Amino acid sequence: MDVRAQLSMVFHLDKCIGCHTCSLACKNVWTSREGAEYMWWNNVETKPGTGYPTLWEDQTKYRGGWEMKGKSLRPRMGRRTGMLTNLFFNPFLPSMDDYYEPWTYQYGHLFTAPQADDQPTARAISKVTGKFMDVEAGPNWDDDMSGSSVYARNDINLSELTDAEREALFRLEQMMFFYIPRICNHCLNPGCVGVCPSGAIYKRAEDGIVLVSQEKCRGWRFCVSGCPYKKTYYNWQTGKSEKCILCYPRVETGQAPACFHTCVGRIRYMGVLLYDAERIEEVAKTPDAGLVEAQRSLILDPNDAKVIAAARKNGIGDDWIASAQKSPTYKFVKQWGIALPLHIEFRTLPMLFYVPPLLPMLASTQNGSYDLGNSDFFGNVEKFRVPMKYMARLFSAGNEEIIKNALKKLLAVRAHKQAQSVGNLSVEKASASLAEAGCNADEAEAIFRLTALPRFEDRFVLPPYHREEVIGLDIEPIKQMGQVGLGFNQPPRRGP
Amino acid sequence: MLETFLFGVFPYVATVVMVVGLIWRYTTNQFSYSTVSSQFLENRQLFWGSVPWHYGIILVLLAHLVGVVFPDGVQAVNGVPLRLYILEGTAFALSLTLLVGLIVLMLRRGISANVRVMTSPMDVVLLFVLLAQVVTGIITAVFYRWGSAWFIQTATPYFWSLFTLSPKVEYMTALPLLSKLHAINFFILVALFPFSRLVHMLSVPLAYLWRPYQIVMWHRRQTRDRVSGL
């Protein structure tokens, strides 16, 4: 057993209101620089939808993540030698058109325009060329299903649905959607690291944050294709790749990352998970249907004496172990099994987990009348507005049992609280619901409390980093803002 | 007198500039030690420029290097006319390929507004110096046939005389003007090397072929155990 610690994350999608506050917090802190304007280390997508960059989930196009070749696991981009032959032109690289061309507006014109018959306007100006441009796409162009004929209908996760099922999804009175905020997953088996020819990307052993060394990066851009979540970005101005750094300068000083801290819906949780690094490769090779379970088995019980001993042996301090024991993510992911990884079939073993949204059928139209007669509260999982096939494609590599179990438990918690506090549901019915979900009243209560009533310190259980013990406390965030990340003592100007 | 300078002194000046320049740039600004790829900004024309250019130039450069390092081998190969024709034919086809690539790359820099933004004056200089190099090389190959045969009688001993610090300028002064230009332009490229995006040649990531896929870095451990695979 090779125990390591990982700063892991849970996003509760039922609580996400799609306000993009997280995206803006991140943008303001990290990516408001030349060359980085188009990057959204944190973005929020509407599902169904094609996302940002467009169709990022389509690995036949971008070749991200890992695949099984015989008995070995290798990057979907191909053999190492084959990859190096693509050094001069990466055929799987998304270009700026797949994201969007960043722009601003000619605001000054509103003040300086000469007197004329018409109101002056502020035309769009490209942040790349500085010339006037026609805006054709943006990072959240498909928000709330806008342009759904172009975006939502082309969501590749819908591919296994029948035509009738798909059409039903887009009928106005049945339309459903939900939001997925996405940041770097800080994977256990990161695709970006695996394909970086320069060896510039690495995973920090102590907390699992994945970073790009700006000094070592030579701008081959393979990480951009190799990350199946498209969460490494190429800075066209500096010629280097950049990605979410999980706000490590904040985390190291005991503050939650900017996107977590600002989350209006309070959907985000952060905590330490202990995992067995020895088994990463074995787990990543598990057949699709078993991947979620296999990843769960990789996460170790921080209260187990054997795990604690092995963790100590690996240099994990008692304060970190204590932090892992209080971790909200451990509860969501392992104890309750209601937080699931996004697209684990990419085999990078993401360490960001999502509590899937409930999209129950509350009413139906029958014979032209609106029928609210659904007597059993939120109904059951089979009658949800969202097809389980679709949810399984997103959150459990196609295994419908796993997503159903998670949703059943979430339903049961609601039924339990409904019976308890509103009384419109009989206690028997609530208990039956709990029993069906393999849950008990205490667990339902705990899930309810951490979902609905968590305080700041319940949501973010950050381990102490002991920055005071680290040599080189020369980081000055204000002075270095706008440079390439922190800890880089020279402005990112390119040489001749 | 001029030729003595150009072939006897300038090569050394260019080499010193290159070595000192490379060390200076690597130590003061490792961040800039790469080419600035513009594939993200323009993705279609690049394929038709970059791929033929890079594969062509790598092979043609290697062929020159083989001529300098293994002149006897080249002579042996060229002993049979058919082999000479095949060698020269291949080299000529490659040089036309890389010329096409280079022209596409130059046009692309001019046409694409996005790429123009990321074009420095040095990029323009470099492209024209490279074009001059390719064109003088190709014309030499056309007008002064069987370069692979006379290269090893002239350029090879000249290079070796440079290496042994006793430059024999007469090998070069005897050559036609185009070949002289080709040689001088080569040393201009050598001098430009550290100050242009040519430095990316030194960052060819061959180590990728044998490193483990995953890189894990321990911050609390020192030096020896710091970096490990999975």
Side-chain angles (χ1 to χ4, degrees):
Chain A
M1 195 155 40
D2 181 6
V3 181
R4 284 185 205 155
Q6 166 85 36
L7 214 50
S8 68
M9 306 147 267
V10 166
F11 292 180
H12 199 307
L13 296 185
D14 247 350
K15 304 202 312 172
C16 181
I17 57 172
C19 64
H20 299 268
T21 306
C22 46
S23 305
L24 288 177
C26 176
K27 165 96 356 210
N28 284 333
V29 179
W30 300 118
T31 57
S32 55
R33 291 169 281 126
E34 198 184 7
E37 301 97 338
Y38 84 93
M39 297 178 197
W40 294 85
W41 292 357
N42 180 111
N43 76 301
V44 183
E45 297 177 4
T46 301
K47 280 281 166 197
T50 49
Y52 157 87
T54 307
L55 288 172
W56 61 270
E57 291 155 296
D58 186 356
Q59 303 312 337
T60 54
K61 187 174 174 192
Y62 296 125
R63 308 282 187 99
W66 304 82
E67 63 183 350
M68 290 300 294
K69 277 279 162 184
K71 280 186 178 160
S72 63
L73 192 66
R74 76 166 203 212
R76 208 183 280 269
M77 286 181 77
R79 241 180 262 115
R80 293 169 197 251
T81 42
M83 279 166 62
L84 287 196
T85 58
N86 284 333
L87 214 50
F88 311 123
F89 181 86
N90 177 357
F92 315 118
L93 185 78
S95 72
M96 198 163 66
D97 300 335
D98 295 305
Y99 302 85
Y100 70 103
E101 184 167 349
W103 74 90
T104 182
Y105 293 98
Q106 195 194 19
Y107 296 108
H109 183 67
L110 299 177
F111 299 96
T112 58
Q115 194 169 4
D117 293 338
D118 304 309
Q119 287 275 0
T121 56
R123 286 175 68 188
I125 300 173
S126 165
K127 291 284 256 181
V128 179
T129 60
K131 298 200 173 81
F132 291 125
M133 63 176 273
D134 293 323
V135 176
E136 280 168 4
N140 60 341
W141 230 226
D142 56 348
D143 234 21
D144 297 348
M145 304 275 277
S146 64
S148 58
S149 57
V150 188
Y151 299 112
R153 276 174 201 275
N154 290 319
D155 185 328
I156 66 162
N157 302 296
L158 297 170
S159 62
E160 273 159 41
L161 269 55
T162 62
D163 287 345
E165 281 174 318
R166 215 172 309 156
E167 279 318 304
L169 267 185
F170 295 110
R171 292 227 309 271
L172 197 59
E173 65 275 17
Q174 287 187 4
M175 202 175 256
M176 67 90 196
F177 65 80
F178 57 95
Y179 305 106
I180 299 191
R182 300 199 300 121
I183 66 172
C184 167
N185 292 294
H186 297 279
C187 305
L188 292 184
N189 186 34
C192 57
V193 179
V195 299
C196 174
S198 313
I201 314 183
Y202 60 97
K203 189 172 179 70
R204 302 210 302 193
E206 282 84 359
D207 58 8
I209 296 178
V210 178
L211 297 174
V212 185
S213 162
Q214 294 291 304
E215 292 262 302
K216 281 191 196 163
C217 173
R218 294 286 173 264
W220 300 115
R221 315 169 305 288
F222 284 12
C223 53
V224 180
S225 330
C227 170
Y229 301 94
K230 294 292 155 287
K231 279 294 167 190
T232 34
Y233 300 87
Y234 178 72
N235 183 320
W236 54 266
Q237 208 277 332
T238 61
K240 308 273 169 161
S241 285
E242 299 178 11
K243 61 181 287 302
C244 158
I245 58 177
L246 206 58
C247 282
Y248 73 81
R250 288 176 60 90
V251 166
E252 286 176 7
T253 48
Q255 310 164 76
C259 56
F260 285 70
H261 197 117
T262 53
C263 180
V264 173
R266 303 181 182 185
I267 76 158
R268 299 186 179 216
Y269 301 82
M270 174 172 265
V272 172
L273 289 180
L274 299 180
Y275 66 96
D276 185 0
E278 227 168 55
R279 290 185 53 231
I280 291 175
E281 198 177 335
E282 171 205 327
V283 165
K285 286 176 174 175
T286 315
D288 278 1
L291 268 168
V292 172
E293 284 295 341
Q295 191 192 20
R296 271 185 203 154
S297 76
L298 201 58
I299 297 163
L300 302 168
D301 178 1
N303 291 306
D304 182 337
K306 263 188 265 166
V307 173
I308 293 174
R312 282 195 185 128
K313 210 179 106 224
N314 249 1
I316 299 175
D318 284 355
D319 43 6
W320 277 60
I321 295 169
S323 179
Q325 289 165 345
K326 283 188 291 183
S327 168
T329 55
Y330 182 77
K331 289 178 188 148
F332 275 115
V333 178
K334 179 98 174 179
Q335 223 167 309
W336 303 331
I338 53 175
L340 304 167
L342 178 64
H343 284 303
I344 195 167
E345 73 275 15
F346 298 156
R347 295 175 190 283
T348 61
L349 306 184
M351 289 309 260
L352 160 55
F353 302 86
Y354 293 90
V355 177
L358 289 174
L359 290 154
M361 185 87 78
L362 289 176
S364 57
T365 45
Q366 259 156 29
N367 305 324
S369 69
Y370 200 64
D371 178 21
L372 283 166
N374 199 343
S375 55
D376 53 344
F377 183 48
F378 272 8
N380 62 46
V381 174
E382 309 299 336
K383 280 205 266 171
F384 272 13
R385 279 177 295 158
V386 56
M388 285 302 121
K389 254 188 235 169
Y390 179 75
M391 295 301 265
R393 263 297 287 274
L394 285 172
F395 296 114
S396 55
N399 185 335
E400 287 181 38
E401 274 317 296
I402 287 179
I403 185 85
K404 274 185 197 164
N405 288 342
L407 290 173
K408 272 181 197 163
K409 198 175 264 192
L410 291 168
L411 263 185
V413 173
R414 298 233 176 178
H416 171 72
K417 291 311 287 186
Q418 199 80 12
Q420 201 182 58
S421 57
V422 184
N424 61 345
L425 214 67
S426 70
V427 178
E428 290 76 42
K429 230 170 187 177
S431 313
S433 187
L434 282 175
E436 200 203 332
C439 187
N440 57 44
D442 288 344
E443 188 177 295
E445 195 63 31
I447 295 175
F448 162 71
R449 295 205 82 81
L450 198 55
T451 302
L453 307 170
R455 294 156 189 247
F456 205 79
E457 59 271 24
D458 300 326
R459 283 181 281 140
F460 312 128
V461 179
L462 297 175
Y465 272 78
H466 301 296
R467 289 290 299 164
E468 68 278 12
E469 290 172 11
V470 180
I471 315 163
L473 274 173
D474 54 355
I475 288 172
E476 295 173 62
I478 300 298
K479 192 177 133 202
Q480 288 170 324
M481 190 177 150
Q483 302 188 6
V484 181
L486 270 95
F488 193 80
N489 288 308
Q490 121 194 5
R493 291 278 161 266
R494 289 308 304 264
Chain B
M1 191 56 210
L2 179 66
E3 291 194 330
T4 316
F5 171 75
L6 285 177
F7 295 114
V9 181
F10 181 57
Y12 292 109
V13 175
T15 310
V16 170
V17 168
M18 180 180 81
V19 173
V20 174
L22 283 177
I23 294 171
W24 166 76
R25 184 159 168 189
Y26 194 82
T27 47
T28 60
N29 194 4
Q30 208 205 126
F31 181 65
S32 75
Y33 229 71
S34 71
T35 184
V36 188
S37 166
S38 53
Q39 189 185 347
F40 176 76
L41 297 170
E42 195 293 312
N43 196 336
R44 292 185 188 88
Q45 297 149 17
L46 181 72
F47 174 82
W48 301 103
S50 181
V51 174
W53 162 256
H54 279 100
Y55 281 107
I57 196 71
I58 286 172
L59 292 170
V60 169
L61 256 178
L62 270 180
H64 282 69
L65 191 68
V66 168
V68 173
V69 181
F70 307 108
D72 297 344
V74 176
Q75 198 148 26
V77 169
N78 285 346
V80 178
L82 180 65
R83 292 199 294 225
L84 173 71
Y85 301 152
I86 291 174
L87 182 75
E88 289 266 336
T90 313
F92 193 70
L94 281 173
S95 60
L96 288 183
T97 311
L98 69 91
L99 177 66
V100 169
L102 184 60
I103 289 170
V104 172
L105 290 176
M106 293 179 84
L107 289 176
R108 171 177 175 271
R109 276 212 177 258
I111 293 168
S112 165
N114 286 349
V115 180
R116 246 197 340 259
V117 171
M118 283 309 293
T119 303
S120 68
M122 180 51 97
D123 292 340
V124 179
V125 171
L126 184 66
L127 281 170
F128 279 99
V129 175
L130 285 172
L131 184 69
Q133 190 68 356
V134 173
V135 169
T136 52
I138 290 178
I139 299 177
T140 304
V142 172
F143 288 102
Y144 308 100
R145 225 32 90 59
W146 317 135
S148 65
W150 57 256
F151 181 91
I152 54 175
Q153 308 296 342
T154 52
T156 303
Y158 167 67
F159 268 106
W160 281 109
S161 76
L162 284 179
F163 288 136
T164 53
L165 301 180
S166 51
K168 296 207 174 62
V169 181
E170 56 275 18
Y171 278 118
M172 297 310 282
T173 49
L175 289 180
L177 178 67
L178 269 174
S179 310
K180 283 182 197 165
L181 289 177
H182 193 68
I184 295 163
N185 205 44
F186 169 73
F187 290 111
I188 291 177
L189 277 170
V190 168
L192 286 180
F193 193 91
F195 310 106
S196 63
R197 58 173 69 208
L198 283 182
V199 286
H200 76 279
M201 285 164 68
L202 294 181
S203 51
V204 178
L206 288 179
Y208 179 63
L209 293 175
W210 51 82
R211 78 161 166 86
Y213 277 126
Q214 295 301 340
I215 300 177
V216 172
M217 210 177 280
W218 294 86
H219 282 270
R220 288 193 211 118
R221 292 183 191 169
Q222 292 307 308
T223 52
R224 204 159 44 88
D225 304 335
R226 256 192 100 188
V227 184
S228 66
L230 224 141

